[in-house]
Amino acid sequence: MKNNRFKTFISNNTIVPIMVIVLVFAAFVVPGFLNVGNIFNVFNQNAMKGIMAIGMTFLIINGYFDMSLCTLVGLTAALSCGLQESLGTVPAVLIALLAGAAVGLINGILVSYVGINAFVVTLAMMMGCHGIAYIYHKEQSFVARSEAFIHFGTGKIGPFSYISILFLLLLVIGHFVLRYTDYGRSTYAIGGNAAAAFNAGINTKLVTCMNFVVCGFLSGLGGVLYACYAGASTPALGWPDMHMLVIAAVVLGGTKLSGGSGNVWYTLGGIMLLGIIDNIMNLLNVQTYVSTMVNGLIMIGVLCLDKVMMAKQLKKANLEG
Amino acid sequence: MKKGMKNLMAGILAAAMLTGAGQMVMAEDTIKVGMVTFDSGADAYQSAYYDTMLSHAKELGVEIQLLDPAGDATKQQNMVQDLIGMACDVIIIWPANSETAIAEVKACSEAGIPVVAANTDVAEEGQEYVTCFVGPSNRLEGQNAGEAMVEEIGTDAKIVEISNMAGYTASIERMGGMHDAIEDTDIEILDSQPGEANREKAQQVMENYLVKYAPGEIAAVFCYDDTTAYGALNALEADGRDDVLVFAAAAGNYETINYVKNGKIRAISMQSPIIDATTTLDVAVNVAKGEAPAEYLNFIETPAVSQSNIDEIELEAW
């Protein structure tokens, strides 16, 4: 019985055995990997990306994804740094977060109410935000003036940075919303089968639109946090592949790109796995392009493994039924 | 299965102890240098710089951890955190962005690791955390090439410029140096358009100049790097014009030497990635030994060359 439960757990969470393999490999082969400081270092480094990935998880469970993330982070980082001097830190951050949510709202309206393909809408938005960020920056970088703003980006409580504590908090909130609220359950339902969800009386358009807003808001927050972390903003922040890394982490974790299944803990696993691989490559002094290639290979491997395990499970279920 | 799990845990634990022990054995006296580059695959200059760093570290007998963020400032910041975690004796940073590098150098300084800024300096607010800067002086490059131009075309002439990207620090500084060189002369800059450090774009700009200015109207075109100068030369050759002389602030391509030898580029400051990398590593190793240079700014040699002196200047090929 226990044995069975363990097996089911593993096949539902392919990220766990893979993480174990990578960790064991790293512990043996990579000098300096297995010390507490380094593990927390990886977690803290990837907290910003993790926060954005939570929003992306909501949207992917809903059956869509958002490419505008990669330039939206540059835009909100720019606003949060650039407006500090004229408006003060708090209003600057609020405006940046609002801008993130607004971009998400536009995406949501165009996709769910106007009915344009999400790929095209968010791609167009990506270009739009890129342009605005560059125009606003005038190709220069902005340095954050507020001490509190910078302190939030680099400060720590124990081994956890403030940003990673925020990440943990958002993970718990994300889990709660997805699991225990009507809104969360509707998200799963729409991703699983939008027509059935509509027939069941779910306002599919509104929920989808809201998930775009959630994704936009958290992307915007990610941008602001990157600006805190770096103490400055550059127009190139996030460009050209931040959205891809975030989507990769979500999918690597085990959330299905086709929608309807997944959770934020998978995403935590995906983010950590990508982060750990990067860290290992750096510790081993491997050239950047090799490490990028390894990331790709691991992703294909994980997804194949996932498919094989799912097929096994389905076959078994069919036999038992 | 339970037993399997237990074995696994034991394995992980054993591995942890092994690596721990391994680290203790490894703690020798060799100096450990950490470096983050800017974008090592982007151009010939940066890849030669990368290779030289590795080979020169071997010559000096120091351990080097060389990481390449491929131009991404956030990735660079994470890499600096990793280098801090590896307990390097000194960290060399070639800022992907002068402003975001402030946080990087601050983090190193908080960890008690000295920092050397390489090739591009950290923004002013961060310089208090940096031990020293090693790299080319963009201003001197512009000034020396500008002075060589004045020598050739005289103090009373009309010229045009092909500038680089707006907001690009190196190009702004080179321009400042060149303008200093012609300040006390009667040389007049009739036009200045951006060539975006791109051969094709520079060629277009030059073609437009040639339409606008008839033969004899301009004596020279001043470019801010060699790639731009290639573009300008292409336009001149296509038009069959030899009345306009080409000068440029700085060269990062070794190929440029041939253009200087046959007189196509009249004068230019040669910036060698080999000199850049070796000087930087030498200084960093000294910093790790506690022998920091007296000055904050340590400029590498960037000799201005022309057809007359090119054979006297010895530059290793890259």
Side-chain angles (χ1 to χ4, degrees):
Chain A
M1 189 62 203
K2 233 180 176 177
N3 195 356
N4 246 343
R5 221 194 288 165
F6 178 72
K7 261 190 186 163
T8 327
F9 174 79
I10 292 296
S11 59
N12 282 339
N13 298 274
T14 30
I15 189 76
V16 174
I18 288 166
M19 190 77 102
V20 171
I21 294 168
V22 170
L23 285 177
V24 170
F25 167 81
F28 272 107
V29 180
V30 186
F33 175 77
L34 209 70
N35 71 57
V36 181
N38 186 50
I39 304 283
F40 280 113
N41 169 30
V42 175
F43 186 70
N44 291 338
Q45 280 175 354
N46 289 284
M48 286 79 71
K49 217 180 278 167
I51 287 171
M52 297 191 275
I54 294 175
M56 193 63 85
T57 308
F58 272 68
L59 196 55
I60 289 182
I61 291 174
N62 196 138
Y64 294 97
F65 57 88
D66 183 354
M67 315 237 297
S68 60
L69 183 152
C70 86
T71 56
L72 181 55
V73 291
L75 179 59
T76 59
L79 290 172
S80 68
C81 286
L83 294 176
Q84 270 178 25
E85 217 155 344
S86 50
L87 298 179
T89 309
V90 176
V93 169
L94 286 178
I95 289 174
L97 294 177
L98 267 179
V103 168
L105 182 66
I106 298 171
N107 281 334
I109 290 173
L110 289 175
V111 172
S112 69
Y113 290 101
V114 182
I116 310 174
N117 183 292
F119 179 85
V120 184
V121 168
T122 58
L123 184 67
M125 210 46 129
M126 170 170 124
M127 298 192 268
C129 290
H130 195 48
I132 297 173
Y134 265 83
I135 293 168
Y136 184 60
H137 267 107
K138 298 195 181 74
E139 297 193 31
Q140 302 283 354
S141 305
F142 293 145
V143 179
R145 298 284 164 209
S146 154
E147 284 296 326
F149 184 79
I150 298 170
H151 182 67
F152 186 79
T154 49
K156 280 180 182 173
I157 300 179
F160 287 104
S161 67
Y162 292 148
I163 297 178
S164 65
I165 292 171
L166 182 64
F167 175 36
L168 287 173
L169 197 71
L170 287 169
L171 276 171
V172 173
I173 295 173
H175 174 73
F176 178 80
V177 171
L178 278 175
R179 184 115 187 222
Y180 298 109
T181 64
D182 284 347
Y183 175 72
R185 282 190 285 264
S186 305
T187 301
Y188 281 105
I190 298 168
N193 186 336
F198 179 77
N199 289 335
I202 293 171
N203 187 343
T204 54
K205 285 182 177 170
L206 183 66
V207 172
T208 303
C209 187
M210 278 311 292
N211 278 325
F212 271 104
V213 175
V214 169
C215 187
F217 176 78
L218 289 178
S219 307
L221 178 60
V224 173
L225 293 175
Y226 265 116
C228 295
Y229 181 58
S233 73
T234 70
L237 174 67
W239 180 263
D241 60 355
M242 184 76 83
H243 60 299
M244 281 307 183
L245 294 174
V246 168
I247 294 173
V250 174
V251 175
L252 198 58
T255 298
K256 301 277 173 292
L257 203 51
S258 49
S261 79
N263 61 51
V264 290
W265 306 114
Y266 285 173
T267 300
L268 171 63
I271 284 282
M272 283 305 284
L273 184 61
L274 285 181
I276 286 170
I277 293 168
D278 261 353
N279 179 253
I280 292 174
M281 296 294 163
N282 286 348
L283 292 174
L284 287 178
N285 212 354
V286 176
Q287 232 210 335
T288 298
Y289 301 105
V290 178
S291 116
T292 313
M293 184 188 73
V294 170
N295 270 337
L297 288 177
I298 287 183
M299 202 151 141
I300 292 175
V302 170
L303 296 178
C304 287
L305 196 69
D306 195 44
K307 200 86 188 164
V308 172
M309 285 200 167
M310 279 307 271
K312 243 185 183 169
Q313 218 180 359
L314 273 179
K315 204 169 147 196
K316 207 170 150 212
N318 286 341
L319 285 176
E320 277 168 2
Chain B
M1 204 65 209
K2 229 178 167 185
K3 206 175 167 197
M5 278 301 275
K6 239 186 208 165
N7 283 339
L8 193 67
M9 292 307 252
I12 295 175
L13 219 77
M17 280 147 77
L18 267 176
T19 47
Q23 269 174 331
M24 261 177 261
V25 177
M26 264 171 52
E28 294 160 24
D29 285 345
T30 35
I31 290 170
K32 188 170 183 182
V33 181
M35 174 167 191
V36 279
T37 60
F38 170 38
D39 191 354
S40 301
D43 49 56
Y45 188 88
Q46 294 195 55
S47 49
Y49 187 101
Y50 185 94
D51 295 340
T52 308
M53 268 289 165
L54 289 178
S55 59
H56 193 54
K58 225 176 245 171
E59 284 164 21
L60 294 181
V62 297
E63 194 186 329
I64 191 162
Q65 199 83 22
L66 192 56
L67 304 179
D68 167 23
D72 186 335
T74 56
K75 208 166 175 181
Q76 185 173 60
Q77 203 173 353
N78 285 347
M79 287 179 161
V80 170
Q81 292 288 350
D82 287 344
L83 288 177
I84 292 173
M86 286 180 233
C88 296
D89 297 311
V90 59
I91 294 179
I92 307 171
I93 297 177
W94 179 336
N97 177 290
S98 294
E99 277 76 22
T100 55
I102 299 171
E104 296 169 10
V105 295
K106 214 170 160 186
C108 294
S109 137
E110 276 162 14
I113 302 173
V115 180
V116 173
N119 193 282
T120 309
D121 206 354
V122 177
E124 226 182 311
E125 293 94 326
Q127 284 175 7
E128 55 176 305
Y129 307 108
V130 181
T131 308
C132 61
F133 164 81
V134 189
S137 163
N138 295 311
R139 179 167 274 275
L140 275 181
E141 285 175 351
Q143 193 173 349
N144 292 342
E147 280 164 3
M149 175 180 72
V150 175
E151 229 169 79
E152 180 148 2
I153 64 169
T155 54
D156 186 15
K158 293 188 167 49
I159 63 165
V160 288
E161 266 185 346
I162 304 180
S163 63
N164 274 2
M165 269 167 286
Y168 182 56
T169 318
S171 139
I172 296 170
E173 289 176 0
R174 284 175 191 168
M175 199 179 262
M178 199 289 258
H179 291 182
D180 277 356
I182 61 166
E183 208 189 349
D184 296 330
T185 67
D186 293 321
I187 292 177
E188 195 184 340
I189 301 171
L190 295 181
D191 226 325
S192 177
Q193 302 284 335
E196 293 168 10
N198 172 308
R199 194 188 289 224
E200 286 72 30
K201 175 77 191 185
Q203 186 169 345
Q204 259 178 33
V205 172
M206 193 65 214
E207 280 163 2
N208 293 342
Y209 284 160
L210 293 178
V211 174
K212 202 165 161 189
Y213 303 102
E217 268 190 75
I218 43 174
V221 54
F222 196 93
C223 306
Y224 284 93
D225 64 16
D226 47 356
T227 315
T228 312
Y230 300 160
L233 273 170
N234 274 351
L236 284 165
E237 277 169 16
D239 239 20
R241 294 265 297 256
D242 53 9
D243 58 314
V244 183
L245 302 176
V246 179
F247 295 87
N253 297 304
Y254 188 70
E255 191 194 342
T256 300
I257 285 190
N258 295 326
Y259 285 80
V260 177
K261 274 184 182 156
N262 59 28
K264 284 185 175 168
I265 293 177
R266 304 301 301 170
I268 191 164
S269 299
M270 288 304 290
Q271 185 181 322
S272 157
I274 298 173
I275 296 176
D276 198 358
T278 48
T279 316
T280 305
L281 189 57
D282 288 342
V283 170
V285 169
N286 282 339
V287 168
K289 287 179 185 159
E291 301 158 12
E295 300 288 322
Y296 176 79
L297 293 172
N298 298 274
F299 294 131
I300 60 165
E301 270 182 60
T302 51
V305 297
S306 61
Q307 204 171 12
S308 57
N309 72 352
I310 186 79
D311 292 323
E312 298 155 27
I313 288 168
E314 279 174 37
L315 282 171
E316 204 181 324
W318 65 87

